[in-house]
Structures are given as structure tokens and as C-alpha cells.
């Protein structure tokens, strides 16, 4: 077995697992999908007839549209068990592709990779295993694993598929591995120099980004398709060089992304999951920025389908978490779907545990989004209360609220923040925080006995060590 591959089950065991996944309404996780995809390809290379006998009876018809990963897996199975069409040329896979939406650039990449593998299987072209199989749960590919796989391709005389190799390269970033670079330079494949250069530069560069508010005065949320409500904070990024070395389906990723660009999709819900992040695991900022409008809709348009897997995957990704990831978590903390709020709490705690949480940034974003009327204070309060009650959760929640409270208390309706101040007081007490927030001190001096004033005094005293 080449280093970094998943263990391959027997054809019978594979058929049972595939049947179970194709029979579910919800799609499989990243590891399950990648493992089954790889196993089908490996068995098709080893003994296609045996694979066809095992998988031939697995149902691949769906009463309703399946999850994208279920559809991808069904397509791979069909291509592997149906008769070979030797007259077909897999090199033309995706030739008629047309970009329709920059938001779903990562889905184009995933589709190109699967489409290419399907075309090669239909054409009977040998593929011993996919090059882009992740080395771990986030989707990342270890440089040494990719080089070892390419070396095996060279030994077997197999040509790497451009989309499969392209996806592998996008998953192969991060710190430079000098030994892997040296091994790549020795590859006896035409792609060797390109791979060596890619590893030497550390993979895909992190593009410069910016944040902006939707244009126009804030309006009440609307369910109308394409409505701009002027209440969201979005993130864009500059163009990335090097698209010419990748298939055309990848080019959307490399373009400058304008966050307010129009979109033909009624909803981006189908594209917000852990698989989206796993397509580009070293660049969660790109995934978050591209799909931030969809994440926001779960908070400011009364919910709809949420994105719990997407939020958690952003926090678990290998790459750095910047403004887009933190804004996505902010939206998630006040999303209408409960599962989104729960996922945002887990994402916040995971970022904190990995020392990737910028508490000041998240606090500022929460304050601004509440001020715009985008986030519901009561939902955000419930989420932060749950996070503070978790092990090791009080300190990061207090740090977030310490950054958020000055802006929140300066809003037009500070009375709405009494419960939030209670969460802040509890988090400060549990974390042993000390110091002073002038806005809280000024509020605590006011006469009265409302919840807001009582909790302001409690927080003031806690920070003073009283």
C-alpha cells in the first residue's frame, strides 16, 4: 500500500458500505466519502469484474435529489461497474464546462475531480488510486504522501489526471518539506518539476483579502431572491496567480472574488459543508468568504437550511483563520437553526483550543452585526452562555465579550443586553478576569434596579476582584 492511502475493504464489504451510504438522505463525512471513493477506484484497477459483481446490484436511483457527495459516489460506482467504452476519451472530461457562479468555485473543483475519475473509469483507463486522497480528516495531503503516490504512478506507467493532480496540489500546502521537495525533483514524470516547484513555494498562496458591508442603508431582512439587505459584513479576496497550470474548472478559484457579486443560485446551502472546506483545507478563509452570504442568511433571513458541518470544518482546517472565518462564526452564533448555533459554539471552542481564535476580532464583528440589526441578541447570548459553560470556555468567551461590550453598550438599545452582561459576569468570574471596562463602569453607576444595571454592577465588581 502506498503511504497515506486508506485501507481497502474487500469488494463485499465495500458493497455493503456503499449501499448504506447511498441509502442515506444525508451525505457521508469527508473521511468516509474519500475512503469509499478511493476503494472503488482501487478495486476497479485490480479486478473490475469482481468489483462489478459485488457492486452491480447496489441501487443508484434516488426518489429525491441526493446530497452532492452521495451523487458523486453513485456516479463513480456506475462508471466502475458499467461496461468499458473504449472509444471514449477521458481527456475531454469537462470540455463543455461554463462558469456560472464564483461563490461555488470549490464545488467546481470537486466536480472536476470526480468527473475526471468517472471518465477514466468509463474509458477503461488505468487509475491505481486517486492522487488526491486526503492524509487526514481535514482533507489535507501530506507532501511526502503525494510524492510517493506519484512515484508509484511513474513505476506503473500511469499518467496523472490533471484534475486529480490539481486537487491533490491544492490540498498539499503549508510548511515546506525539504525532503519531499528533493524527492519530487527525482520523479520520472513530466509533472515532477511542477510538483517540486509547488512544494517548494509552500502550495497555493494565501490571497490578500478585505471586508466590507453590503452597500445601501440597512433594511429589514427579506426572503426575496437576490434581495440585498445592507446588513451583512462580507469578505473578498484578490486574484491568485498560477491558474493556467490547472484545468479550466479550477480557474474560478483564482479570480478576484467580489463579495457582493450576483449569484444565480436561490440558495447556497448545498455547497456549505465539510467537503467544501476539505477541497481547500489550507485556505478556510477562501471557503468562508465565498459562502459567507449563505451563512449569513441562516441568521438574518429566519434560517432555512443551516451549515453546521461547514462551520466546524472551518475551525478545524489546517490553514489560518482570518476575518471570513470569524465572521462566519459570528453569524453562526446567532443563526436561527439550533444546529448551526451548536456548531458555532463548537467552532469557537475549537479555535480557542488551537490558539487560532482572535477574540478581539470576533467581539468586534459581533458588536457591529448586532448594531446593524443582522444578529439577534438573544440567540447570540444563548450561544455564548453555552460556550462559557463548556470546559475551558469561560476565558475565550470573556475575551470575546470584553471586545464586544463597548460597541454593544453604545448601541441604541443597551437595555437588550442585560442577559448578555450576565454571561459576561459569569465568564469573567470563572476565568478570574481583572481590570475595567469604562462603559460597564459608567453603566453600573446609573441609578435603578433593572437586569441591565444589576449585571453591570456584578461585572464591574467581578473585574475589581470584589
Amino acid at each position: 500500500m502506498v503511504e497515506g492511502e486508506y485501507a481497502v475493504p474487500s469488494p463485499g464489504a465495500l458493497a455493503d458500505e456503499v449501499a448504506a451510504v447511498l441509502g442515506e438522505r444525508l451525505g457521508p463525512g469527508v473521511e468516509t466519502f474519500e475512503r469509499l471513493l478511493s476503494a472503488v477506484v482501487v478495486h476497479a484497477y485490480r479486478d473490475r469484474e469482481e468489483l462489478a459483481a459485488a457492486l452491480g446490484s447496489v441501487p443508484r436511483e434516488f426518489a429525491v435529489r441526493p446530497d452532492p457527495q452521495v451523487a458523486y459516489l453513485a456516479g463513480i460506482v456506475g462508471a466502475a461497474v458499467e461496461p468499458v467504452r473504449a472509444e471514449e476519451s477521458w481527456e475531454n472530461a469537462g470540455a463543455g464546462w461554463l462558469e456560472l457562479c464564483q461563490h461555488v468555485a470549490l464545488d467546481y473543483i470537486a466536480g472536476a475531480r470526480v468527473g475526471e475519475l468517472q471518465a477514466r473509469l468509463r474509458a477503461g483507463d488505468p487509475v491505481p488510486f486517486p492522487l488526491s486522497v486526503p492524509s487526514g480528516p481535514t482533507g489535507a495531503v501530506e507532501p511526502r504522501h503525494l510524492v510517493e503516490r506519484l512515484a508509484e504512478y511513474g513505476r506503473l506507467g500511469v499518467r496523472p489526471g490533471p484534475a486529480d493532480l490539481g486537487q491533490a496540489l491544492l490540498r498539499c500546502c503549508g510548511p515546506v518539506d525539504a525532503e519531499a521537495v528533493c524527492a519530487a525533483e527525482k520523479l520520472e514524470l513530466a509533472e515532477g518539476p511542477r510538483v517540486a516547484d509547488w512544494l517548494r513555494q509552500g502550495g497555493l498562496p494565501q490571497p490578500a483579502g478585505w471586508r466590507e458591508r453590503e452597500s445601501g442603508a440597512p433594511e429589514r431582512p427579506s426572503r426575496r431572491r437576490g434581495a440585498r439587505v445592507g446588513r451583512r459584513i462580507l469578505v473578498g479576496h484578490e486574484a491568485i496567480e498560477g491558474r493556467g497550470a490547472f484545468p479550466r474548472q479550477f480557474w474560478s478559484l483564482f479570480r478576484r472574488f467580489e463579495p457582493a457579486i450576483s449569484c444565480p443560485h436561490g440558495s447556497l446551502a448545498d455547497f456549505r459543508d465539510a467537503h467544501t472546506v476539505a477541497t481547500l483545507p489550507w485556505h478556510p478563509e477562501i471557503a468562508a468568504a465565498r459562502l459567507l452570504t449563505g451563512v449569513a442568511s441562516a441568521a438574518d433571513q429566519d434560517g432555512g437550511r443551516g451549515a453546521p458541518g461547514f462551520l466546524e470544518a472551518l475551525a478545524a482546517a489546517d490553514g489560518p483563520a482570518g476575518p471570513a472565518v470569524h465572521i462566519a462564526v459570528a453569524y453562526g452564533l446567532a443563526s436561527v437553526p439550533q444546529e448551526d448555533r451548536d456548531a458555532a459554539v463548537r467552532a469557537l471552542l475549537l479555535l480557542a483550543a488551537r490558539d487560532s481564535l482572535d477574540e478581539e476580532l470576533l467581539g468586534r464583528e459581533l458588536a457591529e452585526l448586532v448594531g446593524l440589526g443582522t444578529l439577534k441578541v438573544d440567540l447570540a447570548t444563548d450561544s455564548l452562555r453555552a460556550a462559557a459553560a463548556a470546559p475551558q470556555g469561560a476565558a475565550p468567551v470573556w475575551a470575546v465579550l470584553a471586545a464586544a461590550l463597548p460597541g454593544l453598550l453604545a448601541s441604541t438599545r443597551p437595555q437588550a443586553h442585560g442577559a448578555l452582561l450576565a454571561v459576561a459576569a459569569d465568564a469573567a468570574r470563572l476565568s478570574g478576569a481583572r481590570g475595567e471596562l469604562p462603559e460597564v463602569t459608567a453603566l453600573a453607576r446609573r441609578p435603578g434596579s433593572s437586569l441591565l444595571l444589576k449585571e453591570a454592577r456584578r461585572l464591574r465588581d467581578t473585574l475589581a476582584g470584589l
Side-chain angles (χ1 to χ4, degrees), residues 32-371:
T32 297
F33 171 76
E34 295 287 350
R35 180 172 56 80
L36 295 180
L37 174 74
S38 178
V40 172
V41 173
V42 169
H43 276 298
Y45 177 79
R46 292 177 178 174
D47 192 330
R48 188 177 180 122
E49 291 185 2
E50 184 181 16
L51 178 67
L55 290 178
S57 61
V58 174
R60 301 193 302 278
E61 300 295 329
F62 306 98
V64 295
R65 187 180 67 172
D67 180 275
Q69 272 60 49
V70 174
Y72 285 154
L73 185 59
I76 285 288
V77 169
V81 303
E82 292 168 5
V84 170
R85 306 171 190 174
E87 70 281 2
E88 289 194 7
S89 174
W90 66 269
E91 287 90 342
N92 294 324
W97 175 81
L98 177 66
E99 178 186 79
L100 296 176
C101 175
Q102 277 194 269
H103 291 101
V104 296
L106 300 188
D107 188 66
Y108 290 149
I109 293 170
R113 172 213 185 194
V114 172
E116 179 183 89
L117 288 172
Q118 290 177 353
R120 296 188 77 168
L121 290 173
R122 284 196 300 268
D125 192 69
V127 184
F129 46 80
L131 293 169
S132 51
V133 174
S135 301
T138 65
V141 173
E142 292 287 343
R144 61 186 178 87
H145 293 169
L146 175 58
V147 174
E148 289 169 1
R149 295 169 192 174
L150 286 168
E152 183 67 6
Y153 264 48
R155 188 185 71 80
L156 296 172
V158 175
R159 176 187 170 191
D164 187 26
L165 177 58
Q167 170 66 103
L169 291 174
L170 292 179
R171 285 176 161 173
C172 195
C173 299
V176 176
D177 184 333
E179 291 186 6
V181 172
C182 183
E185 292 172 341
K186 299 176 182 178
L187 288 172
E188 297 181 359
L189 287 171
E191 294 81 3
R194 176 192 174 194
V195 173
D197 287 344
W198 182 267
L199 298 181
R200 192 179 296 111
Q201 73 177 26
L204 187 75
Q206 299 283 352
W210 69 90
R211 67 185 291 283
E212 64 181 54
R213 184 172 66 82
E214 284 182 330
S215 60
E219 302 173 1
R220 292 184 61 80
S222 170
R223 284 183 176 273
R224 289 182 294 113
R225 180 175 178 179
R228 313 310 296 174
V229 296
R231 301 155 68 98
R232 297 172 179 170
I233 304 298
L234 302 175
V235 175
H237 67 75
E238 298 291 351
I240 308 172
E241 295 183 357
R243 74 178 190 181
F246 291 83
R248 289 186 63 86
Q249 298 98 313
F250 287 52
W251 286 12
S252 183
L253 165 67
F254 291 81
R255 301 187 197 280
R256 173 183 167 94
F257 176 63
E258 299 281 356
I261 193 170
S262 61
C263 174
H265 294 96
S267 170
L268 293 171
D270 289 344
F271 308 99
R272 302 193 312 266
D273 59 22
H275 297 271
T276 308
V277 182
T279 300
L280 205 63
W282 286 95
H283 298 74
E285 281 291 290
I286 292 179
R290 300 270 174 154
L291 295 169
L292 207 50
T293 54
V295 178
S297 69
D300 70 4
Q301 290 186 317
D302 293 330
R305 180 177 171 185
F310 182 66
L311 293 171
E312 290 190 78
L314 289 175
D318 299 271
V325 171
H326 284 77
I327 294 170
V329 173
Y331 286 129
L333 290 171
S335 288
V336 174
Q338 179 69 51
E339 61 269 22
D340 267 32
R341 299 201 301 276
D342 293 342
V345 168
R346 292 191 292 271
L348 186 159
L349 296 172
L350 179 56
L351 287 170
R354 301 177 62 203
D355 293 326
S356 297
L357 180 66
D358 187 331
E359 296 92 348
E360 185 176 350
L361 172 60
L362 180 56
R364 291 199 312 267
E365 299 297 354
L366 280 170
E368 183 168 357
L369 289 168
V370 169

